[in-house]
Amino acid sequence: MASTVYDKRVIFTSRHFKKEVLVKLNTQNTPVWIPLQITEKSTRTLILYFFLDDGSKTSSSLILTVPLHFSLSANVNDYTCEALLQDDRDGKELAKELKQSSDVRSFSVDVTHTPPSTYTVTDLKNPNVEYGKPLYGPSQASSELDFSLRDIQEGLRKLSIISSSTARNCLVPSLPLCVISNGIGHRVDLPVTISPNNTRQNNVLPCQSLIFLKDVETRATHLYTTEASKFTFPFQLRPVSDYELMVFQGCQTQDNCFLIKAVAVCSFRSYMTAQEVILLYGKACSHMSSMGAEEFANFVPITHLYRSKPILHFLNIYNNTNGIMYKYIKNFGGDPSSTLNRKLHGLFFSANIDPLTGRPPDVSYYGDQRIHIPVMFMINSDINLYFADFYCHYVNHHVTLVVTLKGSEADLFCSKRLMPLDPNFNVFLFRRPHALHAMVNSKITVEVFYTESINIVQMINSRCAFLTSVTQKGNAALKTAVGLPKRRDCKICNLKTNS
């Protein structure tokens, strides 16, 4: 069986000397672009150099003439070279090694989500990195180093790449080229976009960001570049999937040669689409069926939904907010792939009661005071009801239902992303028209996310709502601010489980 790894000869050469370095690479079935990590030791400078590799063991050596930038050393022994992203190191480990071996700084980026499927990398402009050094040295004229990518672009127009399991981290530079690497063996055409090379004004190096996006499961890696402060990925990410993001900030000094100033790393899980919400609903229904939850047998009546908070929370409402309990943005509790996370505002209430006593639990993990709101205030003819989430932490499984006022912004948001339920009858929580109570399924913990603020003082004064004391356990503030994510290894409530 042929080896899947071979040594690539990289030769650093200067006027009188040369140095050979062997770089281990994955064997390719078709030409792909590989990023090399080059470190110049005397100035602790990091450079990423991209070369087109045909994967052949007999391919010609890569020859690099030093210095790679006028400010760098001309001594070939000052340079080291290795392939970037050719092993299973995660982004944080790789970034740590880069900062130890060079003067690369670190900065932070974030990934924002615009439902249902658009993802944008933000904060790409790092204020702690200085740019603007001249492109050419004192003895070099711009005419001598005129950069033209026309020949490269023309060749890449006809190129398509195939990434197999042995070539799972294939990359193509994207300035001005777009990059695609498909790690599941499908053939993909390489799109090429030609943009005028007009960014170098007064021979000043523009700040650029190299954005590596890796699908953890398929190992497919994509690379893009931008000079903007944010970048939106031009394709839909796979839902409920883990991604790693590594961003290098620097400037292009030669063709396909980038001098790196800073690096940022983050990881995230893509959100559920409406289709995944439907699949999660099916899992919730299957779970209740396996517990013997048949029709009305496990439904119990409930007259109030309740919400527990610390006493200081209620005192603040009485004294500072004119009696209004304001809705807040949903945290990361429940499924981390929920499309509601950090997108929808509301108030959580619980319908969980003891089927024997008809009363809520005697303890609370969210505060020592509990407000009880009539169920008909939230479940009535003016609302729409949606299934949003199914999750567990340790033993009990929970479902999250969202209540919106018909025609509201929240209702429009949920109608495109969640699964609608009939508030008059469904398998979780329903209320018949004109009934003073609702019916809740006792085989599962039902939570209600109400998307409007409530004047609780007015309701208490009119005796529609009331407060009770309850024993508190745990850190209520932490659970509210951050939220407790679901167990990722539960095969009952996860669309994907960790192996």
Side-chain angles (χ1 to χ4, degrees):
M1 181 177 179
S3 174
T4 61
V5 178
Y6 74 101
D7 290 328
K8 175 72 174 179
R9 297 172 67 241
V10 180
I11 299 176
F12 293 94
T13 180
S14 63
R15 180 174 299 180
H16 302 293
F17 302 96
K18 71 176 183 179
K19 171 186 176 181
E20 181 177 306
V21 177
L22 296 180
V23 178
K24 292 191 177 297
L25 298 177
N26 293 324
T27 303
Q28 312 294 339
N29 296 323
T30 190
V32 295
W33 287 85
I34 301 292
L36 294 182
Q37 171 193 324
I38 299 173
T39 305
E40 198 268 85
K41 295 183 293 185
S42 64
T43 60
R44 293 177 57 82
T45 298
L46 176 66
I47 283 180
L48 290 187
Y49 182 86
F50 294 87
F51 78 99
L52 189 61
D53 180 34
D54 62 5
S56 171
K57 296 181 181 180
T58 60
S59 62
S60 60
S61 302
L62 175 66
I63 299 177
L64 300 176
T65 302
V66 299
L68 297 175
H69 184 256
F70 73 90
S71 64
L72 301 183
S73 172
N75 186 347
V76 295
N77 292 317
D78 283 335
Y79 290 85
T80 62
C81 180
E82 62 179 300
L84 184 73
L85 303 180
Q86 289 289 297
D87 52 34
D88 290 328
R89 289 177 298 177
D90 62 24
K92 292 182 179 179
E93 180 182 354
L94 179 57
K96 182 179 179 181
E97 293 178 5
L98 293 177
K99 287 186 287 184
Q100 289 175 343
S101 62
S102 68
D103 286 335
V104 171
R105 303 179 185 179
S106 61
F107 69 106
S108 298
V109 294
D110 194 13
V111 178
T112 62
H113 173 234
T114 304
S117 57
T118 300
Y119 294 82
T120 300
V121 187
T122 60
D123 303 325
L124 289 175
K125 291 294 186 181
N126 181 8
N128 297 321
V129 176
E130 296 181 0
Y131 294 93
K133 291 184 178 180
L135 179 61
Y136 312 114
S139 62
Q140 295 171 303
S142 61
S143 59
E144 297 175 356
L145 295 172
D146 182 28
F147 299 113
S148 173
L149 296 179
R150 185 173 304 171
D151 294 338
I152 297 177
Q153 291 167 344
E154 190 62 30
L156 289 174
R157 284 178 184 278
K158 304 174 183 179
L159 176 67
S160 62
I161 58 178
I162 302 174
S163 298
S164 66
S165 60
T166 61
R168 60 191 182 188
N169 288 318
C170 306
L171 303 170
V172 182
S174 61
L175 183 66
L177 311 175
C178 286
V179 180
I180 291 182
S181 170
N182 190 321
I184 55 177
H186 291 172
R187 184 180 179 88
V188 289
D189 292 328
L190 177 66
V192 178
T193 58
I194 299 179
S195 59
N197 192 10
N198 58 3
T199 58
R200 298 178 178 89
Q201 298 180 358
N202 300 322
N203 292 336
V204 171
L205 293 171
C207 169
Q208 299 168 11
S209 296
L210 297 172
I211 305 170
F212 291 84
L213 177 71
K214 183 171 72 174
D215 186 319
V216 174
E217 181 180 352
T218 67
R219 315 299 293 183
T221 304
H222 307 262
L223 169 64
Y224 302 94
T225 69
T226 181
E227 295 179 17
S229 61
K230 61 182 180 179
F231 177 81
T232 300
F233 293 112
F235 66 99
Q236 293 186 2
L237 273 61
R238 297 190 309 118
V240 198
S241 298
D242 292 316
Y243 286 88
E244 291 181 356
L245 186 72
M246 176 173 281
V247 179
F248 291 94
Q249 199 169 75
C251 47
Q252 185 173 230
T253 61
Q254 300 179 19
D255 289 356
N256 305 324
C257 188
F258 293 84
L259 188 151
I260 303 302
K261 297 285 189 176
V263 61
V265 176
C266 73
S267 58
F268 64 97
R269 172 168 276 205
S270 55
Y271 290 92
M272 288 184 283
T273 64
Q275 181 62 36
E276 279 68 45
V277 174
I278 294 174
L279 294 176
L280 203 59
Y281 168 81
K283 278 184 166 288
C285 293
S286 297
H287 173 63
M288 290 190 299
S289 296
S290 67
M291 298 176 65
E294 301 291 341
E295 293 295 330
F296 291 96
N298 298 293
F299 281 90
V300 294
I302 182 173
T303 58
H304 291 76
L305 302 177
Y306 61 90
R307 173 177 171 82
S308 301
K309 299 293 289 184
I311 189 171
L312 292 178
H313 177 80
F314 289 99
L315 290 176
N316 179 65
I317 292 175
Y318 271 88
N319 298 324
N320 301 318
T321 66
N322 295 321
I324 298 176
M325 179 179 283
Y326 284 103
K327 58 185 179 180
Y328 60 92
I329 195 165
K330 185 189 177 300
N331 59 25
F332 289 98
D335 198 311
S337 299
S338 172
T339 189
L340 306 182
N341 293 345
R342 307 301 297 173
K343 289 296 179 183
L344 192 64
H345 289 73
L347 297 169
F348 266 111
F349 289 83
S350 179
N352 183 36
I353 62 171
D354 186 324
L356 299 179
T357 65
R359 298 173 58 84
D362 295 330
V363 298
S364 165
Y365 294 94
Y366 298 94
D368 56 357
Q369 295 293 308
R370 182 176 282 166
I371 186 166
H372 304 255
I373 304 291
V375 67
M376 60 184 177
F377 174 81
M378 298 186 192
I379 311 296
N380 53 57
S381 59
D382 295 326
I383 62 95
N384 280 323
L385 185 67
Y386 299 92
F387 171 86
D389 201 358
F390 175 49
Y391 67 95
C392 73
H393 292 142
Y394 299 102
V395 178
N396 295 330
H397 275 82
H398 302 242
V399 295
T400 298
L401 308 182
V402 179
V403 174
T404 65
L405 293 184
K406 291 181 179 178
S408 64
E409 290 185 10
D411 189 42
L412 180 63
F413 178 95
C414 294
S415 65
K416 297 178 179 179
R417 298 163 179 86
L418 303 181
M419 179 177 175
L421 298 175
D422 184 355
N424 295 323
F425 181 75
N426 60 78
V427 296
F428 306 115
L429 173 70
F430 68 90
R431 174 175 171 259
R432 298 296 192 188
H434 311 300
L436 298 180
H437 66 273
M439 302 297 292
V440 62
N441 198 319
S442 61
K443 290 296 182 180
I444 199 165
T445 299
V446 177
E447 298 173 339
V448 175
F449 192 62
Y450 184 68
T451 59
E452 300 295 327
S453 301
I454 303 175
N455 192 326
I456 62 170
V457 171
Q458 186 180 72
M459 296 190 71
I460 291 174
N461 290 339
S462 63
R463 298 189 177 183
C464 291
F466 60 92
L467 286 169
T468 59
S469 297
V470 63
T471 301
Q472 178 183 326
K473 289 186 176 181
N475 189 332
L478 180 62
K479 292 179 181 296
T480 301
V482 179
L484 187 62
K486 72 192 301 182
R487 283 180 53 193
R488 298 184 65 170
D489 60 345
C490 179
K491 293 180 172 57
I492 295 176
C493 61
N494 278 283
L495 296 177
K496 297 180 180 180
T497 55
N498 292 344
S499 57

